[in-house]
Amino acid sequence: MSRRDFLKLSALSGFVPWGALWPSGGTFSKPLPPEDKVAVEPLKIVRVAIKQDEVRAAPSLDARIMTLRKRDEMVKVFDEFIADGPAHNPRWYRVIGGFMHTAHLAPVDTVLNPVIQDIRPEGQVFRVTVPYTQSWYFSKLEGWIPMYRLYYHSNHWIKRLDAGPTGDPMY
């Protein structure tokens, strides 16, 4: 290729989407070989506990906001570390897309338990073992009405087992 052809191609590349230059329409046609694939498991899963929280470009409150995560979104954490600030809580998480400060993130897990059929007549305490669940109230006039969200590791007084709004067992 001559220098002149190279310059023409370079000038055109500013106007042509990169995908048009690849034969497969912008994606590589060959997947990575198995020896180059790395399985990365998250250290933990956290739930966003406020209306929205920022994913930042660096572990600093002054860093650019890359994206926002909404309340009750589950976020995979790949690293946990101490950064320069803020002084009262310098803990940060490395997440997909950047870094999140730990202040408004709640660690969660998902432990599915068998349905307990025999509940004491006076009631008993149960613990939520999933990130969150919806409580419901049945009204003879309005049917099933959503009430409160119940969050991971919170305890609640259970009185009986009924069929919920979908017909599944509900305490």
Side-chain angles (χ1 to χ4, degrees), residues 18-20 22-30:
W18 277 104
W22 294 104
S24 60
T27 59
F28 296 101
S29 58
K30 288 182 162 181

Side-chain angles (χ1 to χ4, degrees), residues 40-162:
V40 179
E41 291 295 318
L43 297 175
K44 63 172 95 176
I45 306 291
V46 295
R47 178 183 61 80
V48 176
I50 60 174
K51 185 176 181 180
Q52 64 184 19
D53 204 354
E54 301 100 2
V55 176
R56 296 186 175 270
S60 166
L61 295 178
D62 296 327
R64 188 174 89 239
I65 296 172
M66 304 299 289
T67 188
L68 297 172
R69 303 301 290 268
K70 293 183 169 81
R71 180 187 313 276
D72 294 339
E73 273 191 68
M74 300 301 129
V75 180
K76 294 179 181 179
V77 173
F78 294 97
D79 195 12
E80 182 175 357
F81 56 93
I82 304 294
D84 290 336
H88 65 280
N89 178 7
R91 292 178 45 219
W92 286 81
Y93 291 140
R94 172 82 167 143
V95 301
I96 293 173
F99 301 86
M100 294 183 79
H101 189 257
T102 62
H104 304 292
L105 300 172
V108 295
D109 201 358
T110 299
V111 179
L112 301 178
N113 302 303
V115 176
I116 304 294
Q117 302 287 334
D118 300 322
I119 299 169
R120 289 185 223 130
E122 67 274 11
Q124 64 193 76
V125 175
F126 275 40
R127 174 172 279 185
V128 176
T129 60
V130 294
Y132 61 85
T133 188
Q134 181 68 51
S135 66
W136 295 82
Y137 171 77
F138 183 76
S139 163
K140 290 181 181 179
L141 295 174
E142 299 178 52
W144 288 100
I145 302 168
M147 296 293 283
Y148 311 104
R149 279 235 168 130
L150 308 177
Y151 290 99
Y152 181 71
H153 267 216
S154 59
N155 296 314
H156 304 276
W157 193 255
I158 304 299
K159 291 191 169 193
R160 67 182 177 276
L161 178 67
D162 287 327

